[in-house]
Amino acid sequence: MVRLGAVSYLNVRPLVYGLEPRSDLFSLRYDVPSRCAALLHDNAIDLGMIPSIEYLRGPVPYRIVPGLGIISDGEVASVALFCRVPLVQVTRIALDASSRSSSGLTRVLCREAWGIDPVFEDVPPDRAAAVDGVDAALLIGDPALFLDPRAAGLTKVDLGAEWTRMTGLPFVWAFWAGREGVVDAAAIATLQAVRATGVVNADAIADDYCGPERSSLCRQYLRENIKYRLGEREAAGLRRYYDLAAKHGLVDRAGPIDFY
């Protein structure tokens, strides 16, 4: 049995849709992104839906399940800075401590795209959502998707849109990764088939997860903002992110991208 660690947000649900009955192949648990990565690094799970930057931070080289991931090509909607002041005036940013790739991307964009050099502070998700005592806060996942910036008196800066505007490439937020040899061809094929089934059933997933009040928003999000196929162009975006992360000292080096 392959021990899977998934993230509990809406955007992951199409990648685990229908996995529960496959207890012959998988066990499944849900955690926030940072915890999911920590479990993989500690060898407490076999495959983790890890933030993409954590692929370079493991104690051993990892491999990626080919063909699928959590990806945006333009606006992502669920990863954003929520600002109290104009972006060029931001001097202090609270980073949701459950994030990893998003925190790294925020730092890259500050230096490469926005020309600012703020102080960063890791805070719990609920404090980040309050945007309290800082000029801006990074929110990820459901809190970023559901927060109404106008009602809160904030400006939302979408990180997916900013990345694609700067690079012309998609951004790969997360993917299944693990140590070499932990999955066989049958398990990989099952995860790929689950992705296909989940995408087809995205509306039903959105309705079940979000309820009637948010159903329209969640359907649109899964249809238009999140992509689930990791191909050559997406891999190029991932390599570009790794190069910039290494340039700015967020990882030791970029390293290769290896698939099962």
Side-chain angles (χ1 to χ4, degrees):
M1 182 182 295
V2 178
R3 300 168 298 169
L4 297 178
V7 177
S8 54
Y9 300 143
L10 169 62
N11 57 21
V12 176
R13 296 300 167 133
L15 294 182
V16 297
Y17 184 75
L19 269 183
E20 286 80 1
R22 296 308 312 268
S23 58
D24 58 319
L25 285 179
F26 304 104
S27 65
L28 178 64
R29 60 175 292 169
Y30 293 100
D31 295 281
V32 297
S34 58
R35 177 62 178 158
C36 191
L39 289 168
L40 184 64
H41 297 337
D42 290 342
N43 204 23
I45 55 176
D46 300 312
L47 283 182
M49 180 59 60
I50 61 170
S52 58
I53 200 167
E54 291 295 319
Y55 173 77
L56 300 178
R57 294 174 172 166
V60 298
Y62 291 146
R63 292 186 178 270
I64 301 169
V65 173
L68 61 156
I70 306 293
I71 298 151
S72 64
D73 192 356
E75 185 175 343
V76 66
S78 60
V79 183
L81 276 187
F82 289 84
C83 303
R84 293 193 178 279
V85 300
L87 190 56
V88 294
Q89 297 177 16
V90 168
T91 61
R92 190 173 192 87
I93 296 178
L95 301 174
D96 181 338
S98 66
S99 71
R100 287 293 185 270
S101 291
S102 307
S103 294
L105 180 57
T106 301
R107 295 172 188 269
V108 166
L109 288 171
C110 283
R111 296 163 185 171
E112 294 282 336
W114 303 331
I116 58 176
D117 187 23
V119 173
F120 297 100
E121 180 182 359
D122 290 325
V123 301
D126 56 346
R127 186 178 161 200
V131 197
D132 184 27
V134 291
D135 300 319
L138 169 68
L139 300 186
I140 67 169
D142 300 345
L145 180 63
F146 297 140
L147 178 61
D148 182 346
R150 292 185 180 180
L154 303 169
T155 300
K156 183 176 182 178
V157 180
D158 188 288
L159 266 62
E162 292 292 302
W163 169 261
T164 300
R165 180 183 63 80
M166 183 178 77
T167 65
L169 294 167
F171 192 82
V172 180
W173 302 96
F175 42 63
W176 291 119
R179 289 165 171 78
E180 186 172 5
V182 298
V183 289
D184 59 17
I188 291 171
T190 300
L191 291 173
Q192 292 170 335
V194 165
R195 183 208 70 84
T197 303
V199 169
V200 169
N201 289 277
D203 284 355
I205 292 169
D207 293 348
D208 181 63
Y209 187 93
C210 299
E213 292 184 357
R214 290 172 168 169
S215 175
S216 178
L217 170 65
C218 293
R219 285 187 175 203
Q220 178 180 346
Y221 172 65
L222 292 183
R223 287 176 182 170
E224 300 179 12
N225 298 111
I226 302 300
K227 318 297 179 186
Y228 292 100
R229 188 171 297 280
L230 202 169
E232 287 300 320
R233 188 163 170 267
E234 292 75 22
L238 184 60
R239 292 186 183 95
R240 178 66 173 148
Y241 177 49
Y242 287 166
D243 287 343
L244 290 172
K247 173 183 175 181
H248 294 290
L250 305 179
V251 294
D252 292 337
R253 59 187 179 87
I257 298 174
D258 292 320
F259 295 91
Y260 285 108

